[in-house]
Amino acid sequence: MKKIITAILAANLILCTFASVSYADTAVSDSSETVSVDETAKILADVKSKFVIPDTLTEFKSSKHLDDDITVYSFSWNNKEYNNSIDIAVNDKGDIVRYYSYFNEEDSYGEYNSRFVLSAMSDDEVKNKAKEWLVKAGVSYINEIDFDNAQISSSIYDQYISINAGRIVNGIKFPENNIWLRIKKTTGEIDDFYCNWEYKELPSANGIISSDEAKSKYRQANALELVYALDDYDSKKAGLKYLIGDKVINAATGEVEIDDARRYYGFKTEDAAASGANMKEMGAELNLSPEEISEIEKLTKLISTDEADKIIFSVENTEFDEYGVNAYNYFKNDDEYITEVALESFDGKKYATATINAVSGEVLSFYTYQDYRYDPDNKLPEAEIKSIADKIVDKLNSNKSEYKYVQCTDNTAEYVRLVNGIPYYNDAVTVRISPETKKVFGYHKSYSRNIEFENKNGLLSEDEAYEKFYQNVGFEPQYKNIYTEKRNDYETKLVYMSAGDCSYIDARSGEAEYPYEKKIVYPTDISGHYAEEAIKALIGNEVIINESDKFEPDATLTQKEALAMFGPLGGIYSVKDTDSDDFYKSIIRRGIISSAEKNPEEKVTREKAVKYILHAIGYTNIKYIDESVFASGFNDEASISPEYNRYVAAAKGLKIVRGDENGNFNPQEQVTKGQFAVMLYNALARNV
C-alpha cells in the first residue's frame, strides 16, 4: 500500500471531507463499482461493534475510495461544533486501516505544553496495550506484526507514547508494511492508528540462493563504500566509514537490485574569508576588535550587482537569455556571504533564482522554474546527460577535479566531492537537464570548508569490513519494494540486505553506526535496585542520555554528573554534549544553577540535588519566597542549610522526597545516582 495513499486518507479523515450517505435509500458508489446499502450498513455496524461512539457525536459522514484495488470505507462522527470527533477507515477485508479520536478537553493545550509528562509504562506494557487494541479492532494480520523489533518512542515533552512495528512473514521481515499506534500517557487510551499493509501474494522463500552465495554477490557488487561522513550533524570532523549503500541482492536470481530508500545525499555549505593586513592596521586605529575587522573586510569584497549579472548571464546552455533580473539579496550562510538573484522571464510567465558566492563570484546554484514532470518515456541517454553536465561542471568549478561523476537519475547528473580520493557525500553537484531543450534548468553545488578530514591510517581492509558488517549489522533476506523505471510503481521482491537501518560501519573498528539517531541503552547493573524503575523510565523517555551498560546507581555525583542527568531539560542531547563549552552555558541559561554556583567537581549533597531538580522543572521562583513560610517537617530539619530549607520543604510537599525510616532527610549526605534518579522521576512522573 503506497504511503502517499495513506497520507491522503489521513488528511481526508482529519478534514472530514466526506460525502453524506443515507442508509435508507442510497448506495455508496464511485466510478468503478457500486456497493449496496446493505453491505455498507453491515460494514458500519461491524465498526460500531468494535468502538464506542459517544451519543454526543451526532454528525455523521462517510466516503469510500480504491487503494490498490482494495475498497476503503471512511466514516466520521462529530459533534455539532466539530471540535470532537472519531474518524475510522476500514477496508473490504474488514481490517481497520485508520483510527483517529479527538476530544477538545478543557485547558488540554495549556496543560500539556506547560508541564512535563513522563510515562512509567515499560516497553512490554506498551506492546501489550497495542496488541489488546488490535485484537479488539479485529485486524486479520495481527500474527504477522513484528512486535519483537517494534520501535517505541516517548519524550517528556509529549503527552503520547508511539509504537511502530513492521511486518514479519514466516520469519522474513517486510519493514515497508507496518502499523503505528499512539497511546495517551495520562489515560492509556489509544487515540491514533494507521497501517500500511499489502494483501498480495509475496515471493516464496523456496529455492532462494544461500546466505553465503548472497554474501559473495554482495561483495562482488562492492556494496560497501569507503566514504567520509560527519561524526554528527553539527560536527566539524569527518570520519572514515563504510557506507551501507543502495545495493541489495535478489534472493531468487542473485542479481543486484537498487533500493531507492537507501540512497544517500547530503548538502552542506560553509566558507570563511581571511582578513587583510590593511584592515588590521585600520582596525587598530579605530579600536575595532579582530572579529569586527574581519566582518568589515568581507563586506568590502562583496561583488556588485553588475558583476552578479555578468556571472549569471555568462552561464551557457541555459534559458537565462530569456530572463531579466528583478531583485538582489545579500545574506550570510554560516561564514559565507551569498548573493541571491531573483529573475523573471520577459513574458512574465516564468521565474528563476540563482545564488553566487558574494566574495569569489562562484555560482552555487540556480533553478529556472518550469512545468517539468519526469516522464520515463522521455529521458535522454545517460551518456548525453553526462556530456552536457560535464561541460557546465567544468565551466563553473575551479576545483572541478575534486568532483567525480556518480550516476544519472531522472535526467539529473550527480557528482560527489572526493577528499583524498574518498567520496564525501555532504558535498555534491547536481545538474538537471530538460529532455526537450537539452538545456540546464537546475544546478546545485555544495562545498564544505573548515571540516577536518580523518587520515587513512589503520583502516580495515575491504574483506575485513565485509566480515565486520555481517557480524555487527547482519545480512538477511527481507521483503522489499523495488521501484521500476516508472518511479511510481514497484514490485515486491525477496532480497538479501542489511539486517537493520544502520547507515555506516566505522572504517577502523567495524562497529555499526546510526548517524543522528539516539541510541537507548538500559544498564545491566540496576536489576533489582530500588531505583531500577525510575532509571529505566528516565532513560526510556530520553531524559537521561545513557550510552553505557553500566549506571553505577550507588555512586555519588559531582555537580557536572548530576546536571548531565537532566538531559534535554538542561539542553543535553548526547553524552558528548557534556564535554562541550556550551554545557554549563545551557545549564545556567535555563536557570538550573547560577554562574556563581558553577563547581563541576564538587560532590552534590541531597539538599543541593533538590534545588537543582526543582529549578530544572520550572520552580525557579522559590528562591524569591520568604524562607520563614517553609517547614519541611523532617526530624533533622535543623540540619538543612537555611538557603535550601524552602527547596526541601517544597520537594516534600510535591512528594519528590519522603525521607528515611526515621523521618530524616539527611540533607548533608552526598546524593547517589540512584537517589537523584528517583527524585527526578518523582518530579516528572507526578507532572508537578
Side-chain angles (χ1 to χ4, degrees):
M1 188 180 299
K2 298 180 181 64
K3 293 183 179 179
I4 191 169
I5 298 295
T6 304
I8 292 171
L9 171 61
N12 283 342
L13 283 167
I14 295 172
L15 294 173
C16 301
T17 54
F18 302 97
S20 295
V21 175
S22 169
Y23 287 100
D25 54 11
T26 306
V28 182
S29 65
D30 63 15
S31 59
S32 61
E33 62 176 335
T34 299
V35 181
S36 70
V37 171
D38 287 346
E39 184 177 349
T40 308
K42 289 178 182 177
I43 293 169
L44 178 61
D46 182 59
V47 169
K48 294 186 68 176
S49 71
K50 297 172 180 175
F51 301 97
V52 176
I53 310 298
D55 294 337
T56 54
L57 304 183
T58 56
E59 308 300 308
F60 175 72
K61 295 182 180 180
S62 70
S63 71
K64 80 179 184 71
H65 71 275
L66 284 178
D67 188 356
D68 288 346
D69 297 325
I70 295 175
T71 304
V72 177
Y73 303 85
S74 301
F75 305 115
S76 175
W77 293 265
N78 292 267
N79 62 358
K80 291 187 180 297
E81 293 77 19
Y82 277 81
N83 58 3
N84 295 339
S85 66
I86 292 178
D87 302 313
I88 301 174
V90 57
N91 63 27
D92 56 17
K93 307 289 184 182
D95 287 331
I96 303 297
V97 297
R98 183 79 171 97
Y99 174 86
Y100 181 74
S101 171
Y102 175 74
F103 288 86
N104 187 20
E105 300 170 356
E106 185 177 359
D107 294 329
S108 63
Y109 183 86
E111 175 186 349
Y112 293 117
N113 282 272
S114 63
R115 298 184 181 182
F116 305 113
V117 186
L118 186 72
S119 170
M121 293 179 67
S122 67
D123 286 357
D124 286 341
E125 289 172 325
V126 171
K127 292 176 185 178
N128 288 334
K129 179 75 70 172
K131 289 176 186 177
E132 291 171 5
W133 190 91
L134 291 165
V135 168
K136 176 185 173 184
V139 298
S140 64
Y141 49 76
I142 190 167
N143 291 329
E144 292 186 351
I145 299 175
D146 187 10
F147 282 107
D148 289 340
N149 295 298
Q151 297 177 341
I152 297 172
S153 177
S154 180
S155 168
I156 55 168
Y157 299 112
D158 194 350
Q159 62 173 308
Y160 298 104
I161 308 168
S162 65
I163 175 171
N164 186 358
R167 182 180 180 185
I168 187 165
V169 183
N170 297 323
I172 299 174
K173 296 175 185 175
F174 190 1
E176 286 160 312
N177 278 198
N178 69 303
I179 61 98
W180 179 89
L181 296 102
R182 190 174 74 172
I183 305 171
K184 200 169 184 178
K185 291 179 182 177
T186 52
T187 64
E189 296 176 356
I190 291 171
D191 70 348
D192 204 354
F193 162 81
Y194 71 79
C195 75
N196 294 307
W197 213 266
E198 296 173 80
Y199 294 89
K200 64 187 178 185
E201 185 177 354
L202 298 176
S204 171
N206 294 329
I208 64 173
I209 64 175
S210 69
S211 176
D212 287 342
E213 288 178 285
K215 289 178 180 178
S216 176
K217 297 286 187 182
Y218 196 73
R219 178 70 178 86
Q220 292 171 22
N222 295 316
L224 300 182
E225 183 181 16
L226 182 65
V227 300
Y228 278 110
L230 296 179
D231 292 337
D232 55 56
Y233 186 77
D234 295 321
S235 176
K236 296 293 185 181
K237 293 183 178 180
L240 283 163
K241 310 173 194 298
Y242 278 95
L243 171 67
I244 302 169
D246 57 6
K247 295 176 182 177
V248 297
I249 304 300
N250 189 305
T253 67
E255 296 176 350
V256 176
E257 304 273 4
I258 300 299
D259 174 13
D260 281 1
R262 290 199 67 89
R263 287 193 172 177
Y264 178 85
Y265 306 104
F267 299 97
K268 185 180 177 67
T269 56
E270 298 180 34
D271 199 6
S275 299
N278 291 338
M279 279 301 301
K280 289 181 180 178
E281 294 173 4
M282 184 183 297
E285 294 175 3
L286 299 176
N287 195 29
L288 300 180
S289 70
E291 292 79 10
E292 291 167 335
I293 296 170
S294 178
E295 287 301 307
I296 291 173
E297 185 190 32
K298 291 174 187 177
L299 291 175
T300 64
K301 291 184 177 180
L302 301 187
I303 62 174
S304 67
T305 55
D306 287 342
E307 290 173 313
D309 285 354
K310 291 177 182 178
I311 292 168
I312 289 298
F313 292 114
S314 68
V315 180
E316 299 174 354
N317 199 33
T318 68
E319 296 181 353
F320 282 128
D321 56 351
E322 301 175 15
Y323 286 76
V325 175
N326 60 13
Y328 300 92
N329 177 35
Y330 288 84
F331 64 92
K332 190 177 182 184
N333 179 27
D334 290 332
D335 289 332
E336 186 173 54
Y337 282 93
I338 307 294
T339 303
E340 184 178 59
V341 185
L343 304 98
E344 183 178 357
S345 62
F346 297 128
D347 61 10
K349 294 181 179 180
K350 295 187 294 185
Y351 299 89
T353 60
T355 60
I356 305 169
N357 184 306
V359 176
S360 69
E362 181 181 14
V363 176
L364 302 175
S365 68
F366 63 79
Y367 187 84
T368 56
Y369 296 89
Q370 51 190 276
D371 187 18
Y372 174 78
R373 294 180 178 86
Y374 175 71
D375 182 355
D377 298 323
N378 184 22
K379 63 180 182 180
L380 298 172
E382 180 174 4
E384 186 171 4
I385 292 174
K386 182 178 183 301
S387 176
I388 296 171
D390 281 348
K391 291 177 182 177
I392 199 164
V393 171
D394 288 348
K395 175 76 174 178
L396 298 182
N397 290 276
S398 59
N399 55 346
K400 59 188 177 184
S401 61
E402 292 187 36
Y403 284 88
K404 171 189 173 184
Y405 174 78
V406 178
Q407 63 186 358
C408 170
T409 306
D410 301 348
N411 295 318
T412 300
E414 300 161 357
Y415 300 76
V416 63
R417 179 185 173 192
L418 298 180
V419 179
N420 300 324
I422 298 170
Y424 177 58
Y425 282 100
N426 282 65
D427 288 350
V429 173
T430 57
V431 183
R432 301 187 68 185
I433 299 167
S434 168
E436 289 82 12
T437 66
K438 298 184 181 180
K439 290 187 175 182
V440 177
F441 70 89
Y443 173 88
H444 185 281
K445 175 186 177 179
S446 57
Y447 189 88
S448 302
R449 294 173 174 83
N450 301 327
I451 297 293
E452 179 185 341
F453 291 93
E454 188 178 20
N455 65 54
K456 297 193 290 185
N457 299 332
L459 301 184
L460 296 170
S461 69
E462 289 189 354
D463 288 338
E464 289 171 331
Y466 280 90
E467 287 305 314
K468 290 289 187 180
F469 164 69
Y470 300 139
Q471 174 185 331
N472 296 331
V473 178
F475 190 66
E476 65 183 15
Q478 291 187 20
Y479 288 110
K480 186 70 186 172
N481 290 334
I482 303 295
Y483 282 82
T484 67
E485 286 192 359
K486 293 182 178 180
R487 296 292 174 198
N488 60 349
D489 196 13
Y490 60 82
E491 181 182 349
T492 303
K493 299 182 179 182
L494 185 56
V495 302
Y496 280 94
M497 62 181 293
S498 167
D501 293 328
C502 177
S503 299
Y504 305 102
I505 62 168
D506 185 273
R508 287 187 170 82
S509 69
E511 292 297 316
E513 295 188 6
Y514 301 81
Y516 317 138
E517 293 183 8
K518 298 183 180 69
K519 185 179 180 182
I520 294 179
V521 177
Y522 291 106
T524 58
D525 62 348
I526 59 173
S527 179
H529 194 275
Y530 68 84
E532 178 181 4
E533 177 187 351
I535 294 167
K536 283 187 173 180
L538 291 170
I539 292 174
N541 283 267
E542 299 180 3
V543 179
I544 294 177
I545 309 300
N546 184 65
E547 297 175 2
S548 169
D549 61 354
K550 300 294 182 183
F551 190 80
E552 299 181 340
D554 296 318
T556 56
L557 286 169
T558 64
Q559 184 190 74
K560 185 176 181 179
E561 290 169 337
L563 297 175
M565 287 180 67
F566 287 127
L569 293 175
I572 303 151
Y573 300 94
S574 72
V575 170
K576 67 177 65 174
D577 285 346
T578 61
D579 296 325
S580 74
D581 294 336
D582 293 331
F583 170 66
Y584 264 97
K585 290 180 183 177
S586 176
I587 292 291
I588 293 168
R589 184 171 61 250
R590 292 165 187 255
I592 298 176
I593 66 170
S594 67
S595 57
E597 292 175 295
K598 179 180 176 181
N599 191 354
E601 300 307 317
E602 175 192 30
K603 288 291 186 177
V604 177
T605 60
R606 287 171 53 82
E607 63 182 11
K608 286 186 179 180
V610 164
K611 178 182 177 180
Y612 296 165
I613 289 170
L614 286 169
H615 279 189
I617 62 174
Y619 284 79
T620 55
N621 288 331
I622 291 178
K623 60 187 175 185
Y624 299 115
I625 302 174
D626 190 337
E627 188 267 339
S628 63
V629 304
F630 289 94
S632 67
F634 286 118
N635 290 336
D636 58 351
E637 186 175 42
S639 63
I640 301 172
S641 303
E643 66 268 30
Y644 295 108
N645 186 60
R646 69 194 76 188
Y647 291 100
V648 175
K652 185 181 181 184
L654 293 168
K655 298 182 180 179
I656 295 173
V657 296
R658 291 180 299 180
D660 62 17
E661 65 277 6
N662 298 316
N664 295 323
F665 177 63
N666 305 308
Q668 305 304 326
E669 282 188 6
Q670 293 179 4
V671 70
T672 67
K673 291 185 74 175
Q675 291 170 351
F676 195 90
V678 170
M679 292 179 191
L680 182 55
Y681 171 81
N682 288 343
L684 295 173
R686 288 175 170 78
N687 197 24
V688 296

